[in-house]
Amino acid sequence: MRSLHPLARAIAAAIGSLALAGTAFAGDVPAAPAQAAQDGTATPAAATTLTKITVAANRYDASQLQMDAVNTVNVLSADDLKYTAVHNVAEALGLLPGVNVFNTGQSYFGGIDGASRGEGMFTSVRGLNAEYNVNLINGVNVAQGMAYSRGVQLSLLPPSGLQTIVLNKTSTADMDGDAIGGTIDFRTPTAFDFSAPMSGSITASGRMESRARDYGDNGLGGGLAGEFQTKFGQEKQFGIYASAYYDKRNYVNSEAAAASSALNDGAWEFARTTASGDNAPGFDPVRNLLSTGMNIGTSSGDTKRYGGNVSLDWKVDDTLTAYARATYGYAKTAQNTTYLQIIPANVKYIPVGSTGFYEPMIGRIATRFWYETNPEKADLATFQVGGDKTLGGWTLSPSLFYSFGDNDRPDHVEISARNDQYSSANFPYGASTVMSYGADNLPYPMLTPAMNAQLNSVATMYARRAGQLTKSYSGQEKGGLKFDARYDFDDGGPLRSVQMGVKYSDAHREFTNRDWTTAKFTDGRSFGSLGLIDGGYSSVFPGVYDYNVPTIDQGALKRLIASHVTDGNLDTCSDLYINNWNCNTQRARETVSAAYAMANFKWGDLEVIPGLRFEHTDIRNTFWVTPRDAAGKEQVGYFARNYTHYDEPLPSLFVNHRDGDNAVYRGSIWSSYTRPAFVQLGGGSQVSMSADGLTTITEGNPNLKPIKSLNLDLSGEWSNQHGGHAMAALFYKKLSNYIYESGSNPVNAGTADAGSIQYVRPQNGGDGKVYGVEAAVRQKFQDMPAPFDGFGVGLNATRQWTSVDLGMDGFRHQRIQNAPELMGNAELFYEKNGFSVNLSYHYAGSYVSTYDYFGQNAAWDNLWIRPVTRVDLHAGYAFPHGFQVDLSISNLTKNYTYWSHVGRNSLAISDVVDSGMTTLLTAKYSF
């Protein structure tokens, strides 16, 4: 996004270049002033009031924060983030109950393209997809820079850039109302969270990706991080905390993409068919599937991330504090995908004896090569200034905030080569099946020697064209103000406090996508003659597929397409240049005004918190209209606008019972909602004319309703004061007006007739429900005799059920996207005398990723994700004088990190990614 405030951009650039980092503001987890550990890190003491939070330095502090909270929360401490080799905070969130981490979405790096980066990108909370969550950094709503979703790409943030993550699974009235799933708050400390007048640390890390080494690359990466805090002034009333990070990751991952080939190239059939190729009567379509082609390839590249936070705090006097905070994170990813393609052609259907059934006969196999770059530049920044003033029983907390975020895909290039560029003669086949399957359930192509030889000689294939270039830019900026006021009663009555507040936010977003396709070559030149090949890998998928595959010189590729692309190649979605330039441009302004009031009553150990929040939303979408005249000829388009308004009252009631310091029982009922994605409200308008005079207008729908939810939660937490903590929760969500994630496609598209005009617009679905149970326990056996008193175990598990009405016939009772029914984590650890070892196991069950993958208007062809299992190992030692070394290994058993398949009970048509094992070695010095 290029229209953001210059001052904000300048501040963010300064933070990025100086790599300064900053901190967190109040949330719903209470905390008292922190106590400092010997190394100067913050160790919060027990907390009893709704006030500012501090970081949780270790798991025991995190457990205490959870116990003290008035709502159901999970907390990841600084140690949780440190003792892991995961790539980013999305993967770290997978350690918590009720959270599923997935490595692909519905945007322009969806499907196997996103998954082949080999890192988690998004999270679902209690069965609800990423766009149903609110994401905060230091209490500030982060900008949503994604092109087609309200979700936030969490892979932008490394664990090293943060100290504490708080996941609110229930929402009190003072929290934003558009969080059906949960509110995730990423936090860092302030200088006043440390007891030492001055302290800091420097951390250096080295990373190794095993799959890259399988290809002969080094797979090495590393990073550097640091933090510093000091308090100054005559009474140490000023504090500054700053942290910074930089890291780089190099990867090469393996892909076997039969599902993608089936979707994009039609490489699928039914084993038994009708004469026209449809599924034969009486056959289960899922079990009748055949894969007739596939892509086999590599995904290689690197990701560079840097950023930081800074916090300035001033304790003016005992009644007034002020602060200014800023955060910035930047990630630049280079991703290059190389595919060897096996594509069926000239398919006919022949009788199977006298059975009345038919089977496909594949006339020939085309062997091809396809290559794409999938670069991404993403950034995310937050700024806030505010303060807290006490006046008698009042606490007044004003603040101003601003955030921007971008997810750009500049210079995406596709280029290909094929043996059948000029002739459809090669290669004759004449069989009904192409694949056999091994014990590993992977498909193995049954090709002739000539086909295999051609796949191993990409350089001799015919070059298709100089390439296709796509430029996409997406970003959002949002800012606003917030004012909270709380009055604490000290008369000993049941009413302990009343709290009220207002919040106003103003968000602007812009998305553009433009595409240029160069002309096909007609002179018979080979792909090798283009001068792009600069090496190769001897095995495209080591250990499985032994075809060799070339690597591409990026500089030569850029020069090639730059020398061929002209203005006349612009072909985004229309015929006229001005329409092609603007047809995929969308702008939106969204303002949200909110007010709330809540009270806190206490009768002994019983606490009751009623509340009411009201949110008013105005959305103005600007989009391009591409019209046609009565003869169907395209006309010059224009920008148009539509408007959407939402008014949502959101009542809530929280009841807590505390049985001393070691047990708390919570019950709550609250309401929440989620606004539809901007692309569904105000997507571009396309007009077409049929021969009989019917005008069809395909456009967004400003009348979409928000998705609403009535939520129930019952939970309990227990601490035994002997190194043990446990929690259990039951939850239920009743959904209405459900909308699933559909990327740029109209969700649940429906038609409405108005005379000779037919409108095709997105529509809401029907009702749904989510319910489940979560449980977690952690126990250190500290009362056992030495040395066994360092051992401990940790377990958490989630069992959930989801069902939604998508609004389409055949899809009335569907599982929610990205919501496994079963998830769990198990850990065996040892902590004593500075030595720590953690062996952990992670499991996430199967789930639906995409509905109706082949467009069969039925649910049998949903795209499913196989269960994911991962074993991680950590070992560390804290030496005297502030030096610590940690070794962490993620995916120790090198399981496949992504396996999607068409149909719940079939692996015949699958996409598979092998990203291997990640090893991270860190050395930290604290002073």
Side-chain angles (χ1 to χ4, degrees):
M1 190 172 181
R2 298 294 169 262
S3 60
L4 302 181
H5 298 316
L7 177 60
R9 287 286 180 188
I11 295 173
I15 295 174
S17 61
L18 296 174
L20 294 176
T23 74
F25 178 53
D28 293 88
V29 177
Q35 306 298 322
Q38 289 184 355
D39 63 357
T41 59
T43 305
T48 56
T49 59
L50 278 171
T51 180
K52 292 186 177 181
I53 65 96
T54 183
V55 298
N58 55 55
R59 297 178 181 92
Y60 307 101
D61 297 333
S63 298
Q64 188 61 54
L65 288 177
Q66 293 179 194
M67 292 284 294
D68 293 335
V70 299
N71 59 328
T72 302
V73 303
N74 293 123
V75 179
L76 281 174
S77 69
D79 278 357
D80 292 320
L81 299 173
K82 180 173 63 177
Y83 295 162
T84 177
V86 298
H87 300 99
N88 53 62
V89 297
E91 295 181 353
L93 282 165
L95 301 171
L96 298 175
V99 178
N100 180 44
V101 179
F102 47 105
N103 50 13
T104 190
Q106 304 291 328
S107 189
Y108 43 62
F109 41 76
I112 196 172
D113 283 346
S116 62
R117 292 186 180 182
E119 61 176 352
M121 291 188 180
F122 308 98
T123 61
S124 65
V125 178
R126 287 188 167 178
L128 276 305
N129 215 6
E131 63 265 31
Y132 289 89
N133 301 326
V134 168
N135 294 275
L136 312 173
I137 295 181
N138 302 332
V140 174
N141 298 79
V142 303
Q144 300 158 337
M146 299 290 295
Y148 307 119
S149 171
R150 289 182 180 270
V152 176
Q153 184 184 343
L154 297 179
S155 56
L156 171 64
L157 303 173
S160 59
L162 300 161
Q163 292 291 329
T164 300
I165 303 176
V166 177
L167 170 57
N168 293 271
K169 292 180 175 177
T170 60
S171 298
T172 50
D174 57 332
M175 300 171 65
D176 289 324
D178 56 336
I180 298 179
T183 299
I184 308 170
D185 196 356
F186 304 96
R187 297 165 170 169
T188 55
T190 72
F192 293 107
D193 290 321
F194 299 80
S195 62
M198 182 178 67
S199 63
S201 68
I202 298 174
T203 302
S205 64
R207 180 182 296 272
M208 183 177 70
E209 306 277 346
S210 72
R211 197 56 176 164
R213 297 184 70 83
D214 292 339
Y215 282 93
D217 286 8
N218 61 40
L220 299 179
L224 187 65
E227 64 176 349
F228 175 80
Q229 70 82 22
T230 185
K231 291 171 280 291
F232 56 94
Q234 186 174 1
E235 298 179 355
K236 303 296 183 184
Q237 70 271 33
F238 297 102
I240 181 171
Y241 171 87
S243 68
Y245 66 87
Y246 171 85
D247 64 27
K248 182 180 180 181
R249 171 191 176 224
N250 293 287
Y251 64 91
V252 186
N253 298 323
S254 306
E255 301 179 71
S260 297
S261 180
L263 178 66
N264 298 317
D265 301 312
W268 70 279
E269 299 288 345
F270 293 113
R272 291 293 180 265
T273 75
T274 64
S276 60
D278 294 330
N279 185 53
F283 284 80
D284 179 350
V286 174
R287 299 186 183 278
N288 200 26
L289 284 174
L290 284 179
S291 173
T292 57
M294 69 182 301
N295 302 326
I296 311 170
T298 64
S299 175
S300 60
D302 62 73
T303 297
K304 303 181 184 73
R305 296 182 296 198
Y306 65 83
N309 307 336
V310 63
S311 176
L312 305 173
D313 294 87
W314 179 20
K315 292 185 175 181
V316 182
D317 55 39
D318 292 339
T319 67
L320 177 62
T321 62
Y323 59 86
R325 294 164 189 166
T327 75
Y328 182 71
Y330 175 84
K332 180 180 180 182
T333 298
Q335 181 186 13
N336 307 307
T337 299
T338 304
Y339 275 153
L340 301 178
Q341 296 185 300
I342 301 163
I343 299 174
N346 301 347
V347 180
K348 299 178 180 179
Y349 305 98
I350 60 175
V352 181
S354 59
T355 63
F357 301 129
Y358 291 76
E359 66 180 0
M361 178 60 65
I362 301 167
R364 69 181 183 92
I365 295 289
T367 55
R368 298 175 181 175
F369 172 78
W370 184 80
Y371 181 87
E372 73 163 349
T373 67
N374 199 20
E376 182 190 12
K377 293 181 180 179
D379 61 3
L380 188 62
T382 64
F383 308 88
Q384 60 175 322
V385 293
D388 296 283
K389 173 64 177 180
T390 58
L391 293 170
W394 287 98
T395 300
L396 308 178
S397 302
S399 65
L400 299 173
F401 58 88
Y402 176 78
S403 175
F404 69 79
D406 299 284
N407 286 84
D408 297 337
R409 191 195 195 192
D411 299 331
H412 164 76
V413 176
E414 298 180 17
I415 194 167
S416 62
R418 53 184 63 187
N419 75 309
D420 58 345
Q421 171 82 342
Y422 302 102
S423 170
S424 297
N426 285 339
F427 289 98
Y429 195 65
S432 60
T433 60
V434 178
M435 304 297 172
S436 64
Y437 293 85
D440 54 7
N441 292 311
L442 292 175
Y444 291 87
M446 299 181 291
L447 304 182
T448 66
M451 297 175 191
N452 286 325
Q454 183 65 88
L455 284 174
N456 279 312
S457 183
V458 169
T460 63
M461 292 183 185
Y462 295 112
R464 179 79 166 164
R465 53 169 51 96
Q468 179 180 356
L469 174 66
T470 305
K471 295 177 179 289
S472 300
Y473 300 95
S474 179
Q476 185 186 59
E477 59 172 342
K478 63 170 60 176
L481 56 88
K482 181 181 178 182
F483 180 78
D484 297 287
R486 188 183 73 240
Y487 186 82
D488 295 305
F489 297 91
D490 58 3
D491 57 4
L495 180 59
R496 299 303 178 89
S497 67
V498 292
Q499 186 172 329
M500 61 201 74
V502 294
K503 182 178 181 179
Y504 176 81
S505 67
D506 190 347
H508 301 258
R509 69 175 291 117
E510 182 172 350
F511 168 72
T512 62
N513 176 276
R514 299 183 179 106
D515 184 86
W516 293 261
T517 304
T518 61
K520 295 178 183 178
F521 292 129
T522 59
D523 57 2
R525 72 183 70 183
S526 68
F527 188 77
S529 70
L530 300 180
L532 302 180
I533 298 175
D534 65 354
Y537 298 120
S538 60
S539 176
V540 66
F541 196 127
V544 181
Y545 304 106
D546 291 331
Y547 302 106
N548 62 63
V549 63
T551 55
I552 301 300
D553 184 321
Q554 295 300 301
L557 178 63
K558 291 179 180 178
R559 291 190 295 272
L560 174 68
I561 197 164
S563 66
H564 285 78
V565 166
T566 66
D567 287 345
N569 297 141
L570 183 66
D571 61 349
T572 309
C573 46
S574 301
D575 297 327
L576 300 180
Y577 183 88
I578 189 172
N579 292 340
N580 278 313
W581 186 259
N582 292 308
C583 60
N584 274 355
T585 295
Q586 183 192 3
R587 304 183 187 96
R589 179 183 181 186
E590 179 178 73
T591 60
V592 181
S593 304
Y596 76 91
M598 56 192 294
N600 185 291
F601 296 90
K602 287 187 178 180
W603 293 273
D605 295 329
L606 182 67
E607 180 180 40
V608 179
I609 307 173
L612 176 64
R613 186 180 186 90
F614 182 82
E615 295 194 355
H616 171 76
T617 303
D618 289 309
I619 302 174
R620 174 181 294 182
N621 289 294
T622 302
F623 53 91
W624 187 258
V625 178
T626 305
R628 295 181 182 273
D629 62 17
K633 183 178 180 181
E634 182 178 320
Q635 303 295 298
V636 173
Y638 54 90
F639 281 109
R641 290 179 176 176
N642 65 26
Y643 305 91
T644 300
H645 309 280
Y646 298 128
D647 290 298
E648 298 300 326
L650 304 168
S652 61
L653 178 64
F654 286 72
V655 179
N656 302 321
H657 180 268
R658 297 186 182 273
D659 188 2
D661 295 331
N662 297 331
V664 56
Y665 303 91
R666 304 182 182 94
S668 57
I669 179 170
W670 79 102
S671 50
S672 55
Y673 74 109
T674 295
R675 308 173 196 99
F678 293 101
V679 70
Q680 303 297 335
L681 294 168
S685 179
Q686 296 282 332
V687 181
S688 62
M689 304 286 294
S690 65
D692 58 3
L694 178 66
T695 300
T696 300
I697 301 176
T698 303
E699 61 184 6
N701 184 1
N703 297 316
L704 285 173
K705 300 174 183 177
I707 306 92
K708 298 183 180 181
S709 180
L710 178 64
N711 312 281
L712 299 172
D713 183 271
L714 296 173
S715 68
E717 290 193 60
W718 304 268
S719 173
N720 60 19
Q721 303 300 316
H722 293 272
H725 174 266
M727 64 80 63
L730 299 172
F731 60 90
Y732 176 83
K733 299 177 183 293
K734 180 175 174 54
L735 307 172
S736 58
N737 309 320
Y738 182 73
I739 294 178
Y740 62 91
E741 187 180 9
S742 186
S744 60
N745 300 315
V747 62
N748 185 24
T751 60
D753 295 331
S756 61
I757 301 177
Q758 181 183 74
Y759 292 91
V760 179
R761 299 181 177 123
Q763 296 184 114
N764 286 96
D767 296 338
K769 58 185 176 182
V770 181
Y771 59 98
V773 57
E774 299 170 346
V777 61
R778 181 179 176 84
Q779 178 65 58
K780 183 177 181 181
F781 304 122
Q782 63 186 43
D783 296 330
M784 294 183 67
F788 303 105
D789 53 347
F791 280 105
V793 295
L795 301 167
N796 69 60
T798 302
R799 181 70 168 95
Q800 61 188 11
W801 295 263
T802 65
S803 177
V804 287
D805 175 4
L806 302 187
M808 303 176 290
D809 290 339
F811 296 87
R812 300 298 181 183
H813 301 282
Q814 292 294 298
R815 292 257 298 266
I816 290 181
Q817 291 169 301
N818 305 314
E821 289 189 337
L822 181 63
M823 297 174 287
N825 294 280
E827 178 189 25
L828 174 66
F829 63 89
Y830 185 85
E831 300 171 348
K832 187 174 176 66
N833 297 329
F835 183 64
S836 62
V837 178
N838 309 74
L839 181 66
S840 59
Y841 172 82
H842 171 78
Y843 174 85
S846 62
Y847 58 89
V848 176
S849 175
T850 304
Y851 300 117
D852 197 13
Y853 189 65
F854 288 156
Q856 299 297 295
N857 297 318
W860 66 261
D861 64 330
N862 287 348
L863 188 72
W864 287 76
I865 307 298
R866 289 192 80 184
V868 175
T869 60
R870 191 182 74 238
V871 176
D872 298 340
L873 175 67
H874 162 265
Y877 185 73
F879 294 89
H881 310 298
F883 185 66
Q884 181 166 334
V885 176
D886 292 278
L887 174 68
S888 301
I889 302 174
S890 181
N891 197 19
L892 188 64
T893 55
K894 299 183 180 180
N895 289 350
Y896 291 143
T897 48
Y898 176 82
W899 190 318
S900 65
H901 53 97
V902 179
R904 183 173 185 177
N905 299 311
S906 174
L907 299 178
I909 303 178
S910 296
D911 281 351
V912 179
V913 173
D914 184 350
S915 56
M917 177 179 70
T918 299
T919 302
L920 179 67
L921 179 65
T922 63
K924 179 180 181 180
Y925 175 69
S926 300
F927 55 89

